[in-house]
Each structure stands twice: as C-alpha cells, then as structure tokens.
C-alpha cells in the first residue's frame, strides 16, 4: 500500500488530510493494492447465505476472489487481516441524508461507522458536487454520494412556505410539464444522480418530471405527492417514497386504512417501488417540549464528535412543541404500513434523515437498523438488507454483496450481526473502495474529529467559483455562477448572470436559464410588477424562448400573483 507517502497527523496546513490512515485514499487509484481477509465468516444479505472460513482477496478497489478454507492465497498479497471469529458484511448505506450543512468531520464519522455510501435527498447541488469532487481527488475522506441536489416543489406550496420560512432555498418551483422539463434538465446539468419531488399537486407535472428524468437516466423519488396517492404516483413512475406514514393510506385519526393499504401495497410491488420509513426521524416527532429538552441534555458520547454549532441549532429547533397532530398514532401507523409492505415484498431502505436534529452522522444508521428490528419486527438479516443489498439493487450498483468484481466496500465485525443487529456497531475494520482502515486507524480518526470538529470551514464552493470567474470570465464560468444563484432561488441575480453569460457567448443552457429566471420573477409577489414588466417583455423582443410559450406561461403565472400584474397580460398580445 502507499502509506509511506502519507502526511503526519500533526503536520501544519493539512487539516483535511490530518489522519494519515485516511489520507491513504489520495494515493494513485491505479496502483495495485492487494488485501486478503482470511478465515472470515461472510454474510450475504441478498441471499441470506452465511459462509464460514472464507478468504476475501481485494485488488484495485474490487473483490478479486473469494477462497474456501482449503484454497491457497495467490502470490503477491501485500496485506493480511485475520478474520478468524469475525464477520464480513457489505458496506452500509444511509439512504436518506442531507449533507449540505455538514462538515468534513461528519463525512469521516460516516466512514468510521461503516456507512460507505449515502443517498442525499435534497440540498445545495453545488455543495454536493464539491464534496464528490474532493472525495474523488482524495482531499477529504467520505462515502460514495448519490444526490438529488435542489428539490422540485409545487409553486403555490413554495409561495406559502416562504412566507413562513423566507430562508428556504434550493427548491425549484414547478407546476406544469414544461417547467418540469426545464427543471430536470437543469438538475442533470448540475450533476444530480436522482430527482427528488415534494408537495406536487398536478398529475401531469409529476408525469412530466418522470418522463424527462428517464431521458437523463435518473430515477424520481421523494415525499408522497399532495394530490396524487402513493400508489398512483408509483404507477406514474416514482421509484422511492420517503417517510411514513403515507397520508393517502390513513384514516382521519391518522390510523392506517387497512383496505387502502393492501390495495396500494399491491401496486407498489407491481411498480417495483422502494420505501424509506426513516423511523428514527418520525418516532421523535411526537415528543413533548420536555422530552425534546431532555434528549438534548441527556449524556451522549456522540456529542463529543458533533460541532457545537450543530448542537446549538438542534437546541433552537427543538425548543417548540410537537404540534397538534397525533404523532403517537402516526408512528404506530408507520410501523403497520412498513410491515405490511415488507411482508408483501416491497423493499425497504434504511435512512436516517441525517441533517435533522438528533441524527448523528453514521451512528444513527445503526439506530435505524435497531428500530427496524425492535419496533417494526424485522429479523436482523432483513434489516441488514435495507442498508446493503436493497440500496445497491435500487441504483444498479456493483456492490451490496461480497463477490468477485464487486466494489470492495466492506465492514469487518467482531460479532455476528444476524444474532443481534446491534452487532453492526462492533466494527473491527473498514474497507473503503479497496483501502483498509484498521480499528486503530478508525480510532485515530475519532480523535482527529474531536480535535477538528469546530474548525472554521474553508471557502464555500460559490466563493471559490466566483474567485475563479474573476480571473477567467469564460461563458461557462459565468453560466455556472448564474446556475448557483438560480439554485439559491435568487432569480434577480440569476437573470443578470445568464444575460452576462449570453453576452460572453454562452449558448442554450443560459438562454433557458434566463427564460426560467424571468418567469420566476414574474411569479414572485415580493417583486413589483413594474420591475418584471421589462424583463418579461424582453423574453419576447429578444426571442429568448418561444414567444407563444412565453405568453402561455405568463397567462398561467400572473393570475397567481396577489396583484395580478394586469399590464403584463398584454405583452405579446
């Protein structure tokens, strides 16, 4: 291996590379690094098979072979790990996270806890792209990330939400198929691996999102749409559904509607949909103010690894009451729905909603596995599948099992996870994309996290992008800056940015961005009619977009404004 190239733990100026063992991942990925884990018991969640006394050979980031006890090791194995009495499982996935508010130390904590892949379900697309790039370059250590970026929301819902939460951002308003096409294309250009939807109220819009997403090779997941029942949404083409209980399957008292549940379960199974219960998040919703305060104050060693700013934000967020909803009954309904769907064969996914209060990076995934067993009634094997083989199957990823030619994301445990799901915490070593991290090295990482968790963050992706564009104002760079403003829902800055990019020679993406920015300004009640009249007229005069299309969209958008902007309705007439 290439650990002789690694920096010292205390060498100045290398905060993000501070742990020598983890910085090994910055070595040349093409170099042959062979690892053999000998005499280990393999646990295959997909098949349920348990194979004792196996030796797993890893080279170049993948499993090369799995040998029986009587087979000889190949020549050239450089590192041996004694797996006798231990259990090897595929790397874990957290299938519902929000990473854009988290730090480099949080990413390290995911790896320490064996969470080697995550699905990010909405946030700043530029932060996600930056994290992916830095992990790939070896600058920081973290899991594989598959992310949605900005979330697609119903336009009217988003208007109401912003009256209460004006800081709400990284949400793209869509309320018709044409906007769906433009928004999904934008997400794909920003590097999305999937599309997340929330609070949609129009069937045609959802169908449009699914259709365009398929053109870009993306799946669509998210919350149960507001007006489309979950089973109809699955039939339209949504692939994953987040957070139980599903409103369309509950009675007025929030208990499960058994007849609707059985009907919907059949359709979910037929459509091949997946469900992410996020029990760890929903079980906390019914806590009283006193219970919330107690949870924050309760001694928990995990706070030692959590930035103080995050804990302070949790305290503020949990200061209020749970609200009038019958959360206890809703959690019971969640369990009933999840169990019915699981028993019918609908695959469940383990997710924590990391980013919400009291979900700790990495360790909370093990909490979720415990709730799936203790509260829901899954067997340890079934729970393990929700965090290994099921996520891999959803993404068509070459992992989730331990077999030749699969990615070597592995977790070596000191105790049998099939005897007690809590044994997934007994991590002896981790293999991350083929690189071994021993228990001693993982402990060094924990010490580094404690020391650096409150370090000030480096320049944000936007700040670095803006600096680079000042030095080299190419059309592509200017367009990227405008994209960032658009993702933050600063449509005035986005409009100006796209216009500047077009003047510099940018093409159709900036043209479409300008079109979408102006239309969003027209929709924004906080912008005076007089301020949007000229930009809207400019769409037609400069033929940015199709004139007929522009007039049609204006006709739909303007009546939704409180003032109506009647003078704009005459544009293009």
């Amino acid at each position: 291996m290439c650990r002789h190239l690694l920096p010292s733990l205390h060498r100045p100026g290398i905060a993000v590379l501070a742990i020598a063992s983890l910085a090994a991942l910055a070595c040349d990925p093409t170099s042959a690094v062979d690892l053999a884990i000998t005499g280990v018991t393999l646990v295959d969640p997909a098949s349920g098979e348990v194979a004792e006394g196996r030796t797993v050979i890893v080279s170049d980031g993948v499993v090369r072979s799995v040998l029986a006890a009587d087979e000889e090791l190949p020549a050239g194995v450089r590192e041996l790990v004694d797996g006798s009495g231990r259990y090897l499982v595929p790397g874990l996935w957290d299938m519902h996270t929000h990473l854009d508010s988290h730090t480099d130390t949080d990413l390290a904590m995911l790896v320490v806890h064996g969470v080697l892949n995550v699905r990010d379900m909405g946030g700043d697309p530029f932060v996600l792209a930056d994290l992916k790039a830095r992990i790939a370059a070896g600058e920081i250590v973290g899991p594989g990330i598959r992310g949605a970026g900005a979330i697609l929301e119903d336009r009217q819902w988003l208007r109401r939400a912003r009256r209460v939460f004006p800081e709400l951002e990284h949400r793209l308003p869509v309320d018709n198929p044409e906007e769906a096409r433009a928004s999904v294309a934008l997400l794909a250009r920003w590097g999305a691996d999937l599309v997340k939807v929330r609070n949609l109220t129009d069937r045609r819009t959802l169908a449009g999102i699914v259709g365009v997403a398929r053109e870009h090779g993306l799946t669509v997941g998210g919350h149960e749409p507001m007006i489309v029942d979950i089973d109809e949404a699955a039939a339209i083409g949504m692939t994953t559904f987040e957070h139980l209980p599903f409103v369309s399957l509950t009675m007025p008292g929030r208990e499960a509607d058994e007849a609707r549940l059985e009907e919907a379960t059949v359709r979910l199974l037929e459509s091949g949909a997946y469900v992410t219960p996020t029990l760890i998040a929903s079980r906390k919703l019914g806590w009283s103010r006193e219970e919330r305060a107690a949870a924050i104050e309760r001694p928990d060693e995990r706070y030692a690894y959590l930035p103080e700013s995050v804990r302070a934000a949790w305290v503020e967020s949990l200061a209020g009451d749970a609200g009038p909803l019958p959360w206890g009954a809703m959690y019971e309904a969640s369990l009933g729905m999840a169990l019915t769907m699981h028993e019918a064969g609908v695959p469940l996914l383990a997710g924590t909603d990391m980013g919400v209060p009291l979900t700790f990076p990495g360790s909370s995934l093990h909490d979720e596995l415990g709730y799936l067993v203790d509260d829901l009634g899954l067997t340890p094997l079934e729970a393990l599948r929700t965090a290994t083989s099921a996520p891999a199957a959803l993404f068509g990823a070459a992992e989730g099992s331990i077999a030749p030619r699969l990615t070597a994301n592995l977790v070596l445990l000191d105790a049998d996870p099939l005897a007690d799901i809590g044994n997934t915490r007994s991590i002896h070593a981790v293999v991350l994309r083929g690189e071994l991290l021993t228990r001693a090295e993982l402990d060094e990482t924990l010490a580094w996290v404690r020391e650096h968790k409150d370090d000030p963050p480096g320049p944000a992706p936007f700040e670095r992008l803006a600096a680079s564009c000042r030095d080299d104002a190419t059309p592509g760079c200017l367009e990227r800056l405008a994209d960032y403003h658009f993702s933050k829902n600063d449509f005035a800055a986005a409009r100006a940015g796209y216009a500047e990019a077009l003047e510099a020679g940018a093409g159709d993406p900036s043209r479409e961005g300008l079109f979408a920015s102006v239309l969003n300004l027209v929709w924004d009640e906080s912008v005076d009619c007089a301020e949007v009249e000229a930009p809207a007229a400019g769409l037609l005069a400069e033929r940015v977009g199709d004139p007929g299309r522009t007039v049609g969209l204006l006709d739909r958008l303007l009546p939704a404004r409180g003032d109506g902007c009647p003078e704009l309705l005459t544009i293009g007439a």
Side-chain angles (χ1 to χ4, degrees):
M1 304 182 74
C2 41
R3 289 197 174 119
H4 64 284
L5 300 176
L6 302 179
S8 163
L9 177 62
H10 302 294
R11 184 171 164 189
I14 54 166
V16 298
L17 296 175
I19 292 299
S21 58
L22 291 186
L25 298 177
C27 297
D28 180 2
T30 64
S31 62
V33 179
D34 291 348
L35 164 69
I37 304 173
T38 64
V40 73
T41 297
L42 299 190
V43 178
D44 182 10
S47 66
E49 294 180 358
V50 176
E52 298 180 353
R54 296 298 191 263
T55 292
V56 177
I57 305 297
V58 173
S59 289
D60 297 327
V62 299
V63 174
R64 178 195 291 179
S65 58
V66 177
L67 307 179
D70 58 353
E71 294 184 85
E72 293 186 4
L73 289 175
V77 174
R78 301 179 184 178
E79 189 156 14
L80 291 174
V81 175
D82 183 6
S84 301
R86 299 189 173 97
Y87 299 81
L88 193 65
V89 299
L92 304 176
W93 298 58
D94 188 335
M95 290 296 285
H96 197 118
T97 67
H98 298 280
L99 295 179
D100 59 350
S101 62
H102 286 272
T103 64
D104 296 349
T105 55
D106 293 332
L107 296 178
M109 290 298 288
L110 287 165
V111 172
V112 165
H113 290 285
V115 180
L116 308 186
N117 282 290
V118 299
R119 182 179 62 146
D120 195 85
M121 293 302 289
D124 187 333
F126 291 83
V127 168
L128 280 187
D130 182 66
L131 291 177
K132 289 181 183 180
R134 293 168 68 206
I135 290 171
E139 296 177 12
I140 57 172
V141 172
I145 300 172
R146 292 165 173 83
I151 300 170
L152 303 188
E153 299 272 19
D154 174 74
R155 185 180 293 279
Q156 297 304 321
W157 180 91
L158 195 56
R159 182 203 300 277
R160 292 191 295 271
R162 287 210 176 109
R163 290 171 180 161
V164 181
F165 305 106
E167 73 281 3
L168 200 63
E169 56 188 19
H170 307 305
R171 312 293 175 102
L172 301 185
V174 291
D175 65 358
N176 60 75
E178 185 155 83
E179 282 188 318
R181 173 166 292 279
S183 294
V184 173
L186 198 58
L187 292 176
R189 184 154 62 87
W190 292 345
D193 302 292
L194 61 138
V195 176
K196 181 180 179 180
V197 297
R198 291 177 84 251
N199 301 306
L200 296 182
T201 59
D202 180 73
R203 291 169 174 81
R204 292 175 59 250
T205 299
L206 177 59
I209 291 169
V210 169
V212 181
R214 286 173 175 166
E215 293 176 12
H216 289 278
L218 306 176
T219 59
V220 177
H223 294 205
E224 177 185 25
M226 293 174 66
I227 202 170
V228 182
D229 290 352
I230 182 174
D231 45 346
E232 183 180 354
I236 289 172
M238 280 186 67
T239 305
T240 66
F241 295 89
E242 314 300 307
H243 310 306
L244 290 170
F246 299 128
V247 175
S248 64
L249 307 183
T250 59
M251 303 286 279
R254 299 301 186 186
E255 67 273 15
D257 183 332
E258 295 298 334
R260 278 289 296 124
L261 175 57
E262 291 183 11
E263 178 186 3
T265 298
V266 170
R267 297 187 71 181
L268 287 173
L269 186 62
E270 291 174 344
S271 69
Y274 293 68
V275 171
T276 314
T278 60
L279 298 180
I280 188 173
S282 59
R283 74 194 305 271
K284 299 169 185 172
L285 293 175
W287 288 354
S288 67
R289 179 180 300 185
E290 293 73 23
E291 289 172 318
R292 292 167 177 230
I296 284 287
E297 297 301 326
R298 186 179 301 124
D300 192 322
E301 63 180 12
R302 294 179 292 185
Y303 283 122
Y305 308 99
L306 192 75
E308 287 301 321
S309 60
V310 174
R311 187 172 186 176
W314 288 4
V315 170
E316 181 179 357
S317 176
L318 295 174
D321 290 321
L325 291 175
W327 293 111
M330 292 174 68
Y331 186 65
E332 291 302 315
S334 298
L335 296 177
M337 288 182 191
L339 189 59
T340 296
M341 293 174 181
H342 164 72
E343 291 177 342
V346 176
L348 303 183
L349 301 169
T352 65
D353 212 0
M354 174 183 161
V356 302
L358 300 176
T359 53
F360 295 87
S363 61
S364 283
L365 191 277
H366 297 275
D367 295 337
E368 179 72 6
L369 294 178
Y371 298 140
L372 289 169
V373 172
D374 297 336
D375 289 9
L376 185 56
L378 301 192
T379 67
L381 174 62
E382 292 169 337
L384 194 58
R385 285 174 180 151
T386 68
T388 54
S389 55
L394 171 64
F395 283 113
E399 50 187 301
S401 185
I402 305 172
R405 295 183 296 278
L406 298 186
T407 300
N409 280 331
L410 310 169
V411 182
L412 183 61
L413 304 173
D414 283 326
D416 183 2
L418 302 188
D420 183 342
I421 194 61
N423 288 336
T424 56
R425 301 178 188 270
S426 65
I427 296 175
H428 183 80
V430 165
V431 180
L432 175 61
R433 298 185 287 276
E435 291 284 349
L436 174 68
L437 304 172
T438 67
R439 182 65 259 172
E441 292 165 340
L442 296 175
D443 289 340
E444 288 177 13
T445 304
L446 289 172
W448 174 77
V449 169
R450 290 183 68 134
E451 181 180 353
H452 293 282
K453 63 185 177 70
D454 293 310
D455 286 356
F462 174 73
E463 293 170 347
R464 296 199 300 273
L465 177 63
S468 68
C469 285
R470 283 194 294 269
D471 297 332
D472 184 18
T474 63
C477 200
L478 294 172
E479 184 175 87
R480 192 77 171 159
L481 276 174
D483 282 345
Y484 184 84
H485 290 302
F486 194 99
S487 79
K488 296 271 287 184
N489 305 136
D490 185 349
F491 298 116
R495 177 176 69 85
Y498 287 126
E500 185 179 2
L502 285 169
E503 290 179 4
D508 287 342
S510 285
R511 196 175 305 279
E512 285 296 316
L514 179 60
F515 180 87
S517 299
V518 171
L519 290 178
N520 276 287
L521 287 172
V522 169
W523 165 72
D524 188 349
E525 284 183 308
S526 68
V527 179
D528 291 338
C529 290
E531 293 182 44
V532 295
E533 181 176 1
L539 286 178
L540 298 178
E542 299 174 19
R543 295 189 176 275
V544 178
D546 175 75
R549 167 191 176 202
T550 306
V551 172
L553 287 174
L554 287 174
D555 285 345
R556 287 198 294 271
L557 289 174
L558 290 174
R561 286 181 62 113
D563 50 22
C565 286
E567 64 274 21
L568 288 183
L569 291 174
T570 63
I571 294 177

